[in-house]
Amino acid sequence: MGEAIVITSGKGGVGKTTTSANIGTALALQGKRVCLIDTDIGLRNLDVVMGLENRIIYDLVDVIQGRCKIHQALVKDKRFDDKLYLLPAAQTTDKNAVEPEQMKKLVDELKQDYDYIIIDCPAGIEQGYKNAVAGADKAIVVTTPEVSAVRDADRIIGLIEKEEHVESPKLVINRIRSHMMKNGDMLDVDEITTHLSIDLIGIVADDDEVIRASNHGEPIVMNPNSKASIAYRNIARRILGESVPLQQLDTQDKGMFSKIKRFFGVR
Amino acid sequence: MNKTQNVTIKGTKDGLTLHLDDTCSFDELKKELDRKLSNSSRVQEEDKLLTVKVTVGNRYLDAKQQEELKDLIRRKRNLIVEDIETNVLTREEVQQLKSENEVVSMARVIRSGQVIEVEGDLLLIGDVNPGGTVKAGGNIFIMGTLKGIAHAGCNGNAEAVIAASVMKPSQLRISEFISRSPDQNEDDGRIMECAYVSGDSQIIVDRLQVLMNKRPNLARFEGGR
Ligand SMILES: Nc1ncnc2c1ncn2[C@@H]1O[C@H](COP(=O)(O)OP(=O)(O)O)[C@@H](O)[C@H]1O
Ligand SMILES: [Mg+2]
């Protein structure tokens, strides 16, 4: 019996899809069976980031409305044997075509076959969000070090905390620019984490390689050398229960680092 | 038949008091009241309106019955009922009183979009984030950082106060008074502060220690050594 993790943020464009693709891929690289679900109906792009767009035959809505079986709609990522699959979102249908109850049933079914179901959530707090959260056991909230993104993350965390079936969410801070943090032009990691008062599960630098990789349909984790790649791999390892210290950013002083270690119970 | 009196009138230096017996029936009481007020010469002498207090002992009067009594007294005489005093409270009234005087404590973060409202005092252990709101009929005490909106005395109590470990609110409201923080608020918030409404209807933010002078009735505890 696997577990389902929803990747959400409230605000759009902060890196939910990128995080979903990379965490999913990193878990598959660790030998786990992973199914990615794109719930951003009408604005799908997890398939593009994964480089699987051309192989889509059926989609999420087809499955929910009974036009095909689940396994017919799952797109297999051939780079990872039998480890990584994608259930793409519908591009054309109305986003209200799916109900939370139906999503939950679908995710529960997938949990029988996969170790991890990674659910990429659309922006906002409406129907699409509700669908994405309905089947989740855990949640990862993605934010960037910007006030508006943090504000929306706070809102989303409040909503997730009301969902009894979801564990207390974990935080990813994405697109960190160390020079801006150092100058105080961006909120720093400690500020954000204290403000949102949830556990930090990873920080990811702003890295041009991420964009380049996405454009090639190859998640950055497949390139072992970039900074962002290591960050995503670390997040995957933490999901698997390892306690991996955070990547040292140039901005962080000693006190900061030990504070972060405390979040993971590392002393 | 009527050996004991169901209605007695007493004059004190504070005014008149009507004592209404609580053992007879309500109808009986009304009849006797009617009669007494018509006869009583003592009250008749004066023309100007008098206020009167009514005590009904252990009798419960619903709103309609209270109105009836007031009506009756008003019609008969130059009397105005100031207050009807009863020893009896309904379960609902007790609940209401209780929640108005309760301190509700909670340990959590009030996040953007969330609104917490209590009828009495609120003791929050945790932050109020920007976009979050806490409201209380009474006082608000925050052991944490207030970054959102706090509204104390929200049912019209201007005596209510707001206290926080770190004061960095986007807005403070006490009763109908509002104070907004400056648009360019660069500071990190000030620690151990309180807000109250001053004599000239301004919300003042000051050190926590001033409360014992400004709001001495915050103390419910008497004694100690
Ligand atoms: N760590 C990063 N460094 C650089 N660019 C990033 C990073 N994370 C995401 N991006 C880019 O930001 C844009 C939005 O990311 P995306 O994952 O689509 O956000 P969302 O799904 O939250 O709308 C994309 O162009 C993506 O390549
Ligand atoms: Mg997306």
Side-chain angles (χ1 to χ4, degrees), chain A residues 75-95:
Chain A
V75 181
K76 179 172 165 176
D77 191 328
K78 295 213 172 93
R79 294 166 293 195
F80 302 93
D81 287 332
D82 206 20
K83 298 288 187 233
L84 188 56
Y85 286 80
L86 167 70
L87 179 53
Q91 185 65 307
T92 50
T93 343
D94 168 31
K95 66 175 179 214

Side-chain angles (χ1 to χ4, degrees), chain A residues 16-17 40 45 120-121:
Chain A
K16 292 177 293 295
T17 300
D40 202 346
N45 48 32
D120 183 15
C121 179

Side-chain angles (χ1 to χ4, degrees), chain B:
Chain B
M1 196 48 211
N2 249 348
K3 274 179 230 147
T4 53
Q5 296 198 328
N6 290 328
V7 177
T8 49
I9 306 180
K10 269 192 192 137
T12 66
K13 63 180 189 332
D14 297 328
L16 281 182
T17 306
L18 279 177
H19 293 282
L20 307 186
D21 185 79
D22 55 17
T23 51
C24 65
S25 79
F26 187 60
D27 278 339
E28 228 173 299
L29 191 65
K30 279 196 298 186
K31 255 185 236 151
E32 192 175 325
L33 191 60
D34 194 55
R35 199 155 18 91
K36 267 269 166 51
L37 290 177
S38 310
N39 295 343
S40 166
S41 54
R42 222 171 83 201
V43 202
Q44 224 161 9
E45 290 156 11
E46 304 174 35
D47 317 292
K48 70 172 202 269
L49 288 177
L50 277 179
T51 59
V52 59
K53 228 163 85 182
V54 180
T55 65
V56 296
N58 293 337
R59 183 191 295 275
Y60 175 70
L61 296 174
D62 61 28
K64 190 170 145 274
Q65 290 173 321
Q66 291 199 17
E67 227 14 77
E68 263 180 79
L69 277 191
K70 282 184 188 171
D71 233 41
L72 191 84
I73 297 169
R74 217 180 290 142
R75 243 186 300 124
K76 278 295 165 196
R77 296 254 72 94
N78 48 347
L79 296 177
I80 303 248
V81 180
E82 176 192 314
D83 186 26
I84 297 180
E85 206 178 274
T86 170
N87 298 336
V88 190
L89 287 176
T90 63
R91 201 174 279 270
E92 281 144 47
E93 287 166 336
V94 172
Q95 277 303 339
Q96 177 70 21
L97 273 177
K98 192 161 160 271
S99 52
E100 277 169 14
N101 286 294
E102 224 166 28
V103 181
V104 176
S105 59
M106 51 182 88
R108 56 176 282 194
V109 181
I110 311 303
R111 300 185 183 280
S112 177
Q114 296 181 330
V115 182
I116 294 298
E117 181 164 2
V118 304
E119 298 202 44
D121 290 359
L122 173 67
L123 171 59
L124 175 71
I125 300 150
D127 299 343
V128 181
N129 278 353
T133 303
V134 286
K135 290 170 98 174
N139 306 297
I140 297 176
F141 309 107
I142 299 169
M143 295 183 69
T145 307
L146 171 58
K147 291 175 270 191
I149 298 175
H151 189 177
C154 64
N155 301 320
N157 175 10
E159 286 291 295
V161 301
I162 300 167
S165 312
V166 182
M167 217 21 134
K168 209 184 166 186
S170 59
Q171 236 184 53
L172 293 174
R173 302 184 185 185
I174 297 174
S175 187
E176 78 267 27
F177 305 102
I178 300 181
S179 99
R180 182 171 71 85
S181 72
D183 284 330
Q184 297 302 322
N185 193 354
E186 292 295 330
D187 68 16
D188 279 344
R190 303 194 294 178
I191 61 166
M192 304 292 272
E193 291 207 313
C194 66
Y196 61 91
V197 176
S198 68
D200 56 354
S201 301
Q202 293 291 315
I203 294 184
I204 307 287
V205 180
D206 204 340
R207 290 159 55 240
L208 213 48
Q209 285 77 0
V210 307
L211 274 190
M212 59 185 91
N213 294 321
K214 299 289 178 190
R215 294 290 183 271
N217 52 353
L218 266 183
R220 289 187 186 157
F221 175 74
E222 287 162 20
R225 300 186 264 184

Side-chain angles (χ1 to χ4, degrees), chain A residues 151 154-155 157-158 161-162 195-198, chain B residues 109-114 127 129-131 147:
Chain A
R151 191 68 50 87
D154 192 43
R155 178 95 173 87
I157 293 166
E161 283 173 343
K162 286 207 189 101
H195 181 93
L196 295 176
S197 62
I198 59 172
Chain B
V109 181
I110 311 303
R111 300 185 183 280
S112 177
Q114 296 181 330
D127 299 343
N129 278 353
K147 291 175 270 191

Side-chain angles (χ1 to χ4, degrees), chain A residues 37-238:
Chain A
I37 307 182
D38 188 350
T39 62
D40 202 346
I41 295 171
L43 281 173
R44 78 173 177 212
N45 48 32
L46 186 52
D47 54 318
V48 180
V49 173
M50 295 297 298
L52 298 172
E53 188 182 13
N54 297 339
R55 297 197 221 157
I56 295 175
I57 297 168
Y58 294 109
D59 58 45
L60 176 66
V61 176
D62 291 325
V63 176
I64 296 259
Q65 298 187 338
R67 284 192 288 272
C68 70
K69 295 267 185 305
I70 296 184
H71 72 266
Q72 290 177 292
L74 290 174
V75 181
K76 179 172 165 176
D77 191 328
K78 295 213 172 93
R79 294 166 293 195
F80 302 93
D81 287 332
D82 206 20
K83 298 288 187 233
L84 188 56
Y85 286 80
L86 167 70
L87 179 53
Q91 185 65 307
T92 50
T93 343
D94 168 31
K95 66 175 179 214
N96 296 322
V98 178
E99 292 290 324
E101 265 312 303
Q102 298 170 310
M103 267 307 290
K104 180 170 167 28
K105 202 164 147 263
L106 174 70
V107 171
D108 284 347
E109 227 170 301
L110 286 167
K111 271 159 59 176
Q112 309 293 325
D113 287 334
Y114 293 87
D115 299 317
Y116 288 95
I117 319 295
I118 306 293
I119 305 163
D120 183 15
C121 179
I125 54 176
E126 291 93 29
Q127 182 81 1
Y129 159 79
K130 287 179 188 140
N131 287 338
V133 169
D137 307 303
K138 297 186 173 178
I140 290 179
V141 173
V142 182
T143 188
T144 59
E146 284 167 81
V147 174
S148 58
V150 172
R151 191 68 50 87
D152 287 358
D154 192 43
R155 178 95 173 87
I156 277 287
I157 293 166
L159 295 178
I160 293 171
E161 283 173 343
K162 286 207 189 101
E163 302 285 338
E164 276 166 19
H165 58 94
V166 186
E167 278 179 26
S168 171
K170 303 271 189 276
L171 181 67
V172 168
I173 305 175
N174 189 24
R175 305 201 75 163
I176 294 175
R177 295 198 230 169
S178 26
H179 61 283
M180 288 189 80
M181 267 193 190
K182 202 187 289 177
N183 298 341
D185 295 329
M186 261 185 174
L187 301 172
D188 73 34
V189 171
D190 197 23
E191 247 176 300
I192 298 168
T193 312
T194 313
H195 181 93
L196 295 176
S197 62
I198 59 172
D199 291 348
L200 188 62
I201 199 174
I203 53 177
V204 184
D206 188 76
D207 185 344
D208 291 347
E209 290 299 320
V210 172
I211 300 172
R212 203 165 297 138
S214 293
N215 288 340
H216 284 102
E218 275 194 4
I220 188 77
V221 283
M222 293 173 69
N223 162 5
N225 298 319
S226 97
K227 232 179 163 180
S229 165
I230 296 165
Y232 284 120
R233 285 166 188 247
N234 285 348
I235 294 172
R237 286 165 65 191
R238 293 185 193 111

